[in-house]
Amino acid sequence: MVEFWVNVFLISLLVVITFYIIRLKSLIAIVALSGAYSLTAAAIFVNMDAVDVAFTEAAVGSGISTILFLAALRYLPLEEAHHTRFSGWSLTLCIIVGLMLINAAFSLPDFGDPGAPAHLHVAPRYIEESYPLFHIPNVVTNVLASYRGFDTLGEVVVVFTAGIGVIILLTGSTLSMRFRKSENLPVQNKEASKKET
Amino acid sequence: MRENPVFKIVSKILFGPIIIYGLYVQFHGDYGPGGGFQAGVIVAAAFILYSIIFGLERVRKLMPVIFVNYIMALGVLVFAGTGIASIILGANYLDYSPFAYKIYKAQHLGIIVVELGVGLTVFAVMLGLFYAFSGFKPKK
Amino acid sequence: MSSLYSVLLNWNYIVVIMLMMAGLYIIISNQNFIKKLVGLSIFQSSVFIFYISLGKVSGGTAPILTGVSDTVYSNPLPHVLILTAIVVGVATNALGLALVVRIHEAFDSIEEKKLLALKIEDGHQENEQKDNKL
C-alpha cells in the first residue's frame, strides 16, 4: 500500500514540474527542470520494479541529456525572445484529445492487475524458461541480448547513426581534428592579407 | 571555477572509480541491474566530468576524437559480427548456441560479447556528442 | 466513492495522458526550438511511464530471479523496450539540438515565427528570380 501512495505522490510531482516548464521563460531553468523531471521519473521506475530502466533514465536522461542541452545553450540565447502568447485553440485541442484518451484509459486493465493480457502472452515464458536455458538471473538482460537481439541491434545502429549525424552537422567531418586545423590557417592568412591591402 | 582546487582534486579522485564502476555495471549486468547501455553512459560521464574541470584539450589528448569515432563503429561491428560468426558456425543470425558445447555457456558468452558491443558504441556516441557540442566553433 | 476509487486506481494512466498533452501543448504553442525539444522529451517520457505502468504487477518484484519459488515478478518485456528507447531518445534529441545550433548559426534566431518570416522573404525573392528567367 505504501508503494501505491509513493507512486501517486511521485507521479503527481511530475505534473507540478511540467506546469513550471510550461510557465518559465529562462531556458536554463527549463533545462534544469527537465533534469529534475528525469530524476523523478527514475524514482517512479524504481517504485514500479523497473530497476534497469531507472538506472538508464538516471544516467542518460538526467545526466547526459542535461549536459548536452547546457552545452548547446552556450551558442544560443538564454531567454525566449518574446513571451509566448496564450493560445486558446491549441489548449482546446489538447484538452479535447486528453479527455478522449482519459475516457479510453478507463477501459484499460487496472493498474497492477496480474491477469492483464500483457502479462499472459510471452512474459511468463521469459521468466520461467530463461534461467534453465541461460543460467543468468537478470531476465531483462536475457531478453535484451538474446531473445530480442535483432531489436537491440537495430537500436544500437540508430544510436550510431544519430551520433554520426550530430558529428557531421557540428564539425563538418568525422575526422574533425585533422581537417579543422588545416582549415583555420588559410582563413587567418586571408584576413591578414586583407588588412595589409 | 576551474581554478578551485576542490573541484580539481575531487574530479581526479573520482575519475578512476567511475570508470571501474562502469566496467562493473557492464560485466555484472547479467546478475543485477545494468548492462551495456548504462555502462557506456557511466564511462562517458567520467570523461565528461574530467573535461568540464580540466578543459576539452586535455581530454582530447587522453581520448582522441578519431579514436572515439573508430570505437563508435567498432561496437556496431562487434554486435553485427557476432551474428555473422553464428552464421559461419551454422546457425541463424544472432543465434549464440554454436559458440560452446553446452547451450547455457554459449548463450552466456554470446550475451557478454553483444553487451560489450553495445557498451562500446554507447560510450563512444555519448562522448562524441559531447565533443561535437563543446568543440563547436560558430563561423562568426 | 467508487468513481473516486477508480480514478485513484488509474491515476498513473490519467497523469500519463496529462503529461502527454502538456508536451503536445508545449510543442504546438511555443515558438522557441529549445522549449519545443524539451516538450518533445516530456511527451516521450510520458510514453515510457505508460509502458512501465502496463508492466507493473501488484505485489511483484524486479525481474531479477531470486531462486525463491512463488515469487511474483513484473513483466520484463516493457522494461527491455523502454531501456533501449531511452538511449535512442537522447541520441535523437541530441540530433535535434545540433540542428538548432546550426539554425542559430545560419539565421541568428531560434524562434519559429522569425524563421518562417525569413523563409517567406526568401521564397518571394526566388519566385521573382524565376519570373525574370521565364
Side-chain angles (χ1 to χ4, degrees):
Chain A
M1 202 61 201
V2 176
E3 209 175 312
F4 181 77
W5 287 109
V6 167
N7 186 30
V8 167
F9 170 72
L10 283 175
I11 208 157
S12 310
L13 196 60
L14 282 187
V15 178
V16 178
I17 292 176
T18 313
F19 178 72
Y20 278 101
I21 287 179
I22 295 176
R23 283 283 306 279
L24 283 174
K25 277 178 73 183
S26 159
L27 291 180
I28 286 198
I30 287 170
V31 169
L33 274 181
S34 79
Y37 180 99
S38 289
L39 216 54
T40 317
I44 289 170
F45 291 150
V46 173
N47 197 39
M48 293 199 286
D49 302 334
V51 275
D52 285 86
V53 183
F55 205 161
T56 320
E57 179 75 40
V60 181
S62 69
I64 301 286
S65 178
T66 312
I67 282 186
L68 287 182
F69 266 103
L70 289 178
L73 278 181
R74 246 179 73 189
Y75 313 105
L76 303 173
L78 297 181
E79 291 270 331
E80 277 186 84
H82 43 77
H83 194 70
T84 312
R85 260 175 291 151
F86 173 77
S87 74
W89 69 267
S90 56
L91 191 66
T92 329
L93 179 80
C94 289
I95 286 175
I96 289 172
V97 177
L99 284 179
M100 282 158 69
L101 285 175
I102 285 175
N103 190 24
F106 279 110
S107 47
L108 281 171
D110 283 338
F111 176 66
D113 181 11
H119 306 316
L120 302 178
H121 183 46
V122 285
R125 213 189 94 206
Y126 289 150
I127 288 172
E128 281 158 22
E129 267 185 13
S130 74
Y131 194 74
L133 214 58
F134 300 160
H135 288 222
I136 291 176
N138 190 350
V139 186
V140 173
T141 306
N142 292 336
V143 180
L144 184 88
S146 189
Y147 281 111
R148 294 192 170 239
F150 271 41
D151 191 0
T152 313
L153 178 61
E155 306 272 14
V156 170
V157 172
V158 171
V159 171
F160 175 64
T161 317
I164 290 178
V166 171
I167 290 171
I168 289 177
L169 270 175
L170 289 183
T171 61
S173 95
T174 48
L175 302 175
S176 54
M177 284 305 282
R178 204 183 288 170
F179 290 115
R180 180 141 292 202
K181 275 177 186 165
S182 58
E183 259 175 24
N184 281 348
L185 286 175
V187 177
Q188 286 169 355
N189 287 343
K190 269 181 197 169
E191 284 173 1
S193 57
K194 271 181 191 173
K195 277 175 191 170
E196 282 170 14
T197 54
Chain B
M1 189 188 100
R2 282 187 182 160
E3 299 309 313
N4 194 327
V6 175
F7 289 115
K8 282 189 174 177
I9 291 168
V10 168
S11 69
K12 265 186 188 171
I13 292 173
L14 279 180
F15 184 67
I18 291 176
I19 289 181
I20 291 175
Y21 181 61
L23 292 175
Y24 166 78
V25 170
Q26 169 85 51
F27 293 110
H28 198 263
D30 309 344
Y31 301 100
F37 284 103
Q38 294 94 331
V41 174
I42 289 172
V43 176
F47 284 92
I48 290 174
L49 171 74
Y50 197 79
S51 86
I52 287 174
I53 305 293
F54 290 99
L56 200 59
E57 288 308 312
R58 280 180 69 169
V59 182
R60 276 183 170 167
K61 275 180 197 161
L62 195 66
M63 182 63 78
V65 175
I66 295 174
F67 198 48
V68 169
N69 291 335
Y70 285 150
I71 294 177
M72 215 184 273
L74 181 72
V76 179
L77 266 183
V78 168
F79 202 141
T82 315
I84 303 286
S86 50
I87 287 184
I88 289 172
L89 291 174
N92 287 329
Y93 191 73
L94 284 178
D95 181 2
Y96 313 133
S97 40
F99 289 165
Y101 181 66
K102 282 183 178 168
I103 192 161
Y104 71 91
K105 281 186 178 169
Q107 292 283 353
H108 208 149
L109 184 67
I111 286 176
I112 285 179
V113 172
V114 160
E115 290 271 359
L116 191 64
V118 173
L120 285 175
T121 301
V122 171
F123 158 69
V125 167
M126 292 303 160
L127 198 55
L129 292 182
F130 182 73
Y131 279 174
F133 274 107
S134 55
F136 176 66
K137 286 164 192 149
K139 277 172 187 160
K140 278 154 265 170
Chain C
M1 194 60 203
S2 70
S3 68
L4 186 70
Y5 182 69
S6 73
V7 163
L8 207 59
L9 207 60
N10 291 306
W11 185 236
N12 265 46
Y13 301 140
I14 293 168
V15 168
V16 160
I17 290 162
M18 279 158 68
L19 292 176
M20 197 181 273
M21 288 307 122
L24 188 65
Y25 177 76
I26 294 176
I27 296 169
I28 296 175
S29 70
N30 272 287
Q31 302 295 318
N32 191 294
F33 280 147
I34 293 287
K35 210 166 172 186
K36 273 177 195 276
L37 277 178
V38 171
L40 207 59
S41 71
I42 285 175
F43 196 107
Q44 210 175 24
S45 51
S46 80
V47 177
F48 298 161
I49 295 171
F50 179 62
Y51 263 66
I52 301 296
S53 308
L54 284 182
K56 167 79 179 162
V57 177
S58 53
T61 178
I64 294 171
L65 303 176
T66 51
V68 183
S69 59
D70 294 342
T71 318
V72 180
Y73 299 105
S74 287
N75 194 345
L77 189 57
H79 299 186
V80 175
L81 301 179
I82 297 312
L83 177 65
T84 50
I86 288 175
V87 180
V88 170
V90 167
T92 47
N93 235 341
L95 193 64
L97 270 178
L99 281 171
V100 172
V101 168
R102 287 305 297 265
I103 286 172
H104 184 257
E105 188 192 12
F107 298 109
D108 248 337
S109 170
I110 51 168
E111 305 286 323
E112 191 183 329
K113 272 186 184 164
K114 278 187 191 170
L115 291 174
L116 284 177
L118 283 175
K119 194 185 167 191
I120 289 168
E121 280 175 20
D122 279 2
H124 284 311
Q125 284 174 1
E126 278 175 15
N127 284 341
E128 283 170 11
Q129 283 173 358
K130 274 180 192 170
D131 292 342
N132 290 342
K133 274 179 190 172
L134 284 173

